[in-house]
Amino acid sequence: FLVQLTGGTHPLQANYLGDTSFNASTSSKSITITKATTTIGPLLVSGQATVGTPFGVNLTVQTISNGAAPSGTVSFTANGSPLSRTVSYAPQNATVTSPASLGAAINATVSTPGTYSISANYNGDINYLSSTSASTASVVVKYPSPTLTLTPSSQTITTSSAKYAHY
């Protein structure tokens, strides 16, 4: 049978009950499982970056593990300040063709226009080490384009013989 052990030290014990030819025996050993490393892939920004309008930031926590998907949390920052929206996760256990990974996405908003450097941190879990995004995504946030609607308060129609006003 197959058991996936978490990072840390684990005592193992094997027991043989014996038979008519061999005596029973027991053997114990401790093994240490090192947590797997993680990296944060490129941060992808989607949507229009305007004040008060959500824009998306997506990333993938990548591993080289053939086991369970990472289960920790990801935090996002803009110019070092936390983006405090709900983060959604898409864990992927390893398959024959791809290692385990964790997708993370946030729909962020900011209240001031400017250029923001977005970065991310994965906090790790029982099987995986923490990591910080090696690169950042740059987002230019602008005020929304104003909309102007004009409605005339009166209309004047002029003909060759008379002038009519409509209010």
Side-chain angles (χ1 to χ4, degrees):
F1 67 94
L2 179 66
V3 175
Q4 180 174 330
L5 297 174
T6 60
T9 301
H10 302 275
L12 300 178
Q13 182 175 339
N15 295 316
Y16 175 66
L17 299 177
D19 60 19
T20 57
S21 300
F22 298 96
N23 293 330
S25 64
T26 299
S27 180
S28 297
K29 175 93 175 157
S30 286
I31 62 168
T32 300
I33 305 294
T34 303
K35 290 184 178 187
T37 59
T38 61
T39 57
I40 295 178
L43 280 71
L44 307 172
V45 178
S46 62
Q48 291 186 347
T50 56
V51 171
T53 302
F55 60 92
V57 183
N58 301 288
L59 62 78
T60 301
V61 177
Q62 301 166 333
T63 75
I64 56 170
S65 169
N66 292 322
S71 64
T73 59
V74 174
S75 58
F76 292 85
T77 59
N79 293 347
S81 296
L83 291 173
S84 58
R85 288 285 187 122
T86 301
V87 178
S88 59
Y89 297 99
Q92 295 293 317
N93 291 332
T95 66
V96 173
T97 58
S98 63
S101 64
L102 176 66
I106 188 171
N107 284 320
T109 58
V110 293
S111 59
T112 307
T115 301
Y116 291 87
S117 178
I118 309 294
S119 60
N121 294 301
Y122 168 64
N123 75 333
D125 66 14
I126 198 162
N127 293 313
Y128 295 97
L129 294 170
S130 62
S131 58
T132 299
S133 54
S135 62
T136 60
S138 183
V139 177
V140 178
V141 178
K142 300 177 181 179
Y143 281 117
S145 298
T147 302
L148 179 61
T149 304
L150 298 176
T151 305
S153 61
S154 67
Q155 299 173 345
T156 302
I157 302 170
T158 304
T159 65
S160 59
S161 63
K163 184 175 182 179
Y164 300 95
H166 176 4
Y167 296 96

